[in-house]
Amino acid sequence: MATAHQPLTTAPHQPAAAAVDTAALESAFDAAVAADERIEPRDWMPDAYRATLVRQIAQHAHSEIIGMQPEANWITRAPSLRRKAILMAKVQDEAGHGLYLYSAAETLGASRDDLLDKLHSGRQKYSSIFNYPTLTWADVGAIGWLVDGAAITNQVPLCRCSYGPYARAMVRVCKEESFHQRQGYELLLALSNGTEAQHAMAQDAVDRWWWPSLMMFGPPDAESSHSEQSMVWKIKRHSNDELRQRFVDICVPQAESLGLTLPDPDLKWNEERGQHDFGAIDWSEFWSVLKGNGPCNDQRITQRRRAHDEGAWVREAAAAYAAKQSERKEATA
Amino acid sequence: MTATPMPPTAAPSAPAATPTDAPAVHTAALALGDDALVLSHRLGEWAGHAPVLEEEVALANIALDLLGQARVLLSLAGDEDELAYLREERAFRNLQLVEQPNGDFAHTIARQLYFSVYQNLMYGQLAATESALAPLAAKAVKEVAYHQDHAEQWTLRLGDGTAASHERMQHGVDALWRFTGEMFGPVAGLDLDRDALREQWTARVTDVLGKATLTVPEGPQSGAWTAGAGREGLHTEPFGRMLAEMQHLHRSHPGASW
Amino acid sequence: MTGSTEWPLWEVFVRSRRGLSHTHAGSLHAPDAEMALRNARDLYTRRNEGVSIWVVPSAEITASSPDEKDSFFEPSADKPYRHPTFYDIPEGVKHL
């Protein structure tokens, strides 16, 4: 049935006659997903699929934006001009990645203002990892190596996510992020090979960031509430535990060549499994940080909210100027 | 051109930043390099605080361009990190304008407007000379043209936006006006037509402020202590704090590499 | 909190190099076309990805509807004679 054309970004119009036909639409959708076809913005999709995507993409975007803070904390103190340029470019990329992701969420009918509002009021989350503080310069390296490393492990499969705009945003993000992890590793390597004090600084940072990085993959599969449906929808391609294991196996040899120790006495190679065994994660810490009791939860949201509120007059000014300009144009036309 | 006499000022003279026998081009590279370094640092302070996400990206782009210029220029005068991290406040040769704290977004835009118009004209002239800095200037002038455009676009929007933004923008251009005179002082090693520089700068800034419904500030563009001495190593109070933050980590680990 | 002055959404198209056409890169918010171009430059070409940019207000784009997919696009699928591979040419005939 022919419908009026709509702007690209609005939710698809669902024709009345098709309402009875939801089952047919749903099975067409399921078939497309099963066949690894991409779902595009104006396609019919189940409400729950849309809601899950908006929630996940928004949380991802919020994480990029909040994630600027712990690293920006060191821009003004970067110890060499080369490191300063790298760090500025990295924090800038995070703003850019947030923008790509908000755009992707907007193709589902969400508005950025609304999503930011939900972030500022605590109704939507961001990755808990950013509620930990960056206490020394080495933390910038640990974030690059471990936090970005974990993020990349999570994100690479998302490049094949069933929702087209999200998958495309992730392709761009992953391409750009490949330098983020490398710069972190290189930074830590310089410290590890440096003076005694620098080496100690690097080890201390790895000690503090290792376990929170493992928590970034989310709760164990058995306790993960959204996982199963997301796997069917191909929003998620691998389980939390699977990705966590992959990350641990990647990090162990990298830590060795860094000359740094991962703070887990139970970490060892399991010949039988062909993987590393590792110690139990303290999930009570994870849930506690998630509930708002991390070291920096308040600080992060307060800064974000302040930047947004203090920027209101700027956004209003530009909107007012644009309105005046179009009035002037009309008057002279 | 060799050493140029410093502009008349009542401010106490500062110790030389470079040995007196250093080529004049080092003095020039240091002055322009410090401008870029310090302004880049100030813009870097915006990270995570910008009024809208798109502007996070824009301000960082400008900061990165300036940092790139600073690194080339300082490397012409010596070791970039030694110069950035181990000099005392009195040895920095940047304009006082660029060290001024960010203030609100209008204040930052006013600083950007004044400085980018200057830098664009200055690099433009410099690129056409035989100076050792000419190649850097030829490359940087393209970057700076964009910085100027960014500052002008925002000056228009804030000046001719809402009543509140107009007031803030007017306050920004007024507050920084007294730091603008220093841009037209002589710098050893920079063979520029300073009269033309001042004339073109004034014409451009007047034009932009007019279009933005703002009033060109009146009053002196420099004073004994307020401005005119940054090039001689005399700075304003906030600068010492900025350097303390910038240098402390590097200085805490003497001889370490990063 | 803030007044609701969300800037409109713009679609961004980037020509990655001369000789190629503009390709959709993503979207962004901007108060007007001039700022949209500049934001697009900063956001989508900061790694040297472009030589030319178009920005279009998202609301101004007219798109075909997915509901009409069959009537719009299927009819062209059964006309193989539009493609050169449809035709048998004796071996050895050149420049055809």
Side-chain angles (χ1 to χ4, degrees):
Chain A
M1 149 174 182
T3 55
H5 294 297
Q6 312 128 19
L8 269 182
T9 47
T10 53
H13 173 72
Q14 295 183 10
V20 287
D21 229 0
T22 307
L25 289 168
E26 192 136 17
S27 67
F29 171 86
D30 290 342
V33 170
D36 260 337
E37 272 183 44
R38 293 284 182 272
I39 304 302
E40 293 296 342
R42 291 158 49 83
D43 291 341
W44 185 92
M45 60 187 88
D47 290 344
Y49 175 83
R50 182 187 300 277
T52 299
L53 275 170
V54 170
R55 192 188 59 238
Q56 180 173 333
I57 299 172
Q59 176 168 333
H60 198 159
H62 299 332
S63 301
E64 296 281 357
I65 299 308
I66 297 287
M68 295 170 72
Q69 291 183 31
E71 292 182 276
N73 183 35
W74 281 93
I75 287 179
T76 53
R77 293 176 288 173
S80 75
L81 297 186
R82 175 174 176 270
R83 290 285 172 206
K84 190 172 184 165
I86 292 168
L87 185 56
M88 261 197 227
K90 179 170 190 273
V91 173
Q92 181 195 39
D93 270 354
E94 277 147 20
H97 297 170
L99 286 170
Y100 302 154
L101 288 160
Y102 285 122
S103 290
E106 284 178 293
T107 64
L108 290 159
S111 96
R112 197 210 291 177
D113 256 9
D114 181 51
L115 297 177
L116 284 176
D117 213 42
K118 288 187 169 125
L119 168 66
H120 297 154
S121 60
R123 279 174 294 155
Q124 280 180 346
K125 303 263 181 239
Y126 55 89
S127 177
S128 279
I129 193 80
F130 301 117
N131 289 320
Y132 290 87
T134 47
L135 302 179
T136 73
W137 170 250
D139 290 28
V140 172
I143 288 186
W145 176 42
L146 295 174
V147 175
D148 291 331
I152 290 169
T153 308
N154 263 329
Q155 286 169 0
V156 166
L158 287 174
C159 297
R160 295 185 299 122
C161 154
S162 61
Y163 186 59
Y166 191 24
R168 289 192 287 276
M170 291 320 300
V171 168
R172 198 176 256 274
V173 168
C174 286
K175 217 190 270 175
E176 298 188 350
E177 273 202 354
S178 54
F179 105 77
H180 293 187
Q181 195 189 9
R182 287 175 76 105
Q183 67 82 34
Y185 192 84
E186 190 208 60
L187 191 164
L188 284 178
L189 190 63
L191 295 180
S192 183
N193 294 338
T195 65
E196 211 173 303
Q198 285 178 307
H199 182 89
M201 194 194 283
Q203 183 62 58
D204 168 62
V206 169
D207 288 348
R208 282 182 289 110
W209 288 92
W210 172 249
W211 291 107
S213 301
L214 294 190
M215 296 176 198
M216 284 176 69
F217 296 93
D221 295 346
E223 294 162 38
S224 178
S225 50
H226 303 300
S227 281
E228 215 169 299
Q229 181 61 68
S230 288
M231 299 271 264
V232 174
W233 278 334
K234 296 192 179 169
I235 295 173
K236 206 177 154 101
R237 296 259 177 182
H238 305 278
S239 80
N240 295 352
D241 288 333
E242 205 180 326
L243 292 170
R244 187 165 17 242
Q245 180 70 53
R246 189 181 295 176
F247 178 67
V248 170
D249 291 332
I250 289 171
C251 285
V252 170
Q254 290 178 347
E256 252 166 60
S257 51
L258 270 179
L260 297 173
T261 313
L262 296 173
D264 179 0
D266 298 325
L267 188 65
K268 59 172 185 297
W269 178 251
N270 182 324
E271 193 64 55
E272 211 170 295
R273 290 200 304 130
Q275 292 171 327
H276 289 87
D277 291 336
F278 54 95
I281 293 171
D282 178 4
W283 289 107
S284 64
E285 175 179 324
F286 174 80
W287 294 114
S288 162
V289 175
L290 194 71
K291 283 197 189 99
N293 302 320
C296 301
N297 298 55
D298 286 345
Q299 182 189 330
R300 302 286 186 241
I301 281 296
T302 302
Q303 179 181 328
R304 179 84 273 290
R305 216 184 280 146
R306 193 191 312 129
H308 188 75
D309 291 352
E310 286 178 0
W313 69 270
V314 176
R315 300 190 298 275
E316 282 157 17
Y321 177 82
K324 283 189 207 173
Q325 287 298 98
S326 63
E327 267 169 38
R328 282 168 198 155
K329 213 179 265 175
E330 263 168 43
T332 56
Chain B
M1 178 169 159
T2 51
T4 318
M6 289 300 178
T9 164
S13 63
T18 47
T20 43
D21 58 347
V25 68
H26 284 193
T27 315
L30 210 54
L32 303 186
D34 285 349
D35 281 350
L37 177 72
V38 171
L39 186 57
S40 162
H41 185 96
R42 285 296 190 206
L43 291 173
E45 292 173 353
W46 271 105
H49 299 273
V52 63
L53 293 173
E54 278 79 0
E55 209 50 35
E56 292 280 358
V57 183
L59 292 171
N61 260 356
I62 297 171
L64 282 168
D65 284 344
L66 290 168
L67 185 52
Q69 294 167 20
R71 295 183 64 191
V72 173
L73 287 160
L74 295 183
S75 297
L76 286 170
D79 177 88
E80 60 173 30
D81 284 339
E82 255 175 55
L83 288 169
Y85 291 100
L86 298 176
R87 272 181 302 160
E88 300 288 330
E89 183 181 339
R90 298 277 271 131
F92 275 81
R93 287 293 180 263
N94 55 283
L95 299 166
Q96 289 183 355
L97 174 68
V98 296
E99 77 202 30
Q100 295 311 304
N102 288 334
D104 64 8
F105 188 67
H107 202 83
T108 290
I109 290 299
R111 192 183 60 199
Q112 285 302 112
L113 177 71
Y114 288 160
F115 184 71
S116 62
V117 173
Y118 156 77
Q119 216 188 12
N120 195 359
L121 293 167
M122 183 270 296
Y123 278 146
Q125 278 198 28
L126 189 57
T129 65
E130 302 286 303
S131 164
L133 307 182
L136 169 276
K139 174 174 181 286
V141 77
K142 291 180 207 149
E143 296 170 352
V144 173
Y146 191 80
H147 305 173
Q148 181 180 334
D149 176 71
H150 174 266
E152 291 182 353
Q153 295 293 338
W154 273 113
T155 301
L156 291 176
R157 280 159 184 77
L158 299 182
D160 193 16
T162 63
S165 72
H166 178 89
E167 193 183 322
R168 284 172 185 264
M169 193 64 215
Q170 186 65 55
H171 182 261
V173 295
D174 287 348
L176 293 170
W177 184 250
R178 66 201 178 106
F179 296 104
T180 55
E182 192 179 10
M183 299 187 291
F184 314 109
V187 177
L190 279 190
D191 191 8
L192 302 175
D193 181 345
R194 292 185 288 117
D195 289 338
L197 191 61
R198 182 189 279 274
E199 203 174 293
Q200 290 164 6
W201 183 89
T202 307
R204 184 71 188 198
V205 167
T206 304
D207 181 51
V208 175
L209 294 182
K211 283 189 182 135
T213 71
L214 296 161
T215 311
V216 179
E218 286 170 19
Q221 283 176 274
S222 64
W225 277 86
T226 52
R231 291 273 187 249
E232 295 170 64
L234 195 69
H235 295 279
T236 54
E237 279 187 356
F239 186 54
R241 230 174 226 99
M242 193 206 101
L243 282 188
E245 183 173 341
M246 183 172 103
Q247 297 182 336
H248 102 269
L249 176 60
H250 185 98
R251 284 179 181 258
S252 305
H253 299 261
S257 41
W258 300 95
Chain C
M1 284 284 289
T2 66
S4 178
T5 46
E6 188 169 39
W7 293 345
L9 194 65
W10 302 73
E11 299 298 324
V12 179
F13 300 81
V14 175
R15 184 201 296 287
S16 57
R17 57 188 162 84
R18 303 184 66 83
L20 297 181
S21 51
H22 288 75
T23 309
H24 186 235
S27 62
L28 49 74
H29 288 269
D32 52 49
E34 286 170 306
M35 292 304 277
L37 264 185
R38 286 158 179 84
N39 291 347
R41 177 259 194 195
D42 288 337
L43 184 60
Y44 288 105
T45 66
R46 65 188 189 284
R47 281 180 170 78
N48 205 13
E49 297 103 326
V51 296
S52 163
I53 298 173
W54 292 345
V55 290
V56 185
S58 304
E60 297 291 319
I61 289 185
T62 306
S64 64
S65 160
D67 303 325
E68 295 166 330
K69 196 170 64 184
D70 294 351
S71 56
F72 256 61
F73 304 114
E74 263 189 29
S76 68
D78 64 351
K79 298 180 178 62
Y81 43 82
R82 290 200 207 270
H83 300 276
T85 47
F86 181 73
Y87 303 93
D88 292 325
I89 301 295
E91 239 175 88
V93 177
K94 286 177 183 168
H95 307 300
L96 201 66

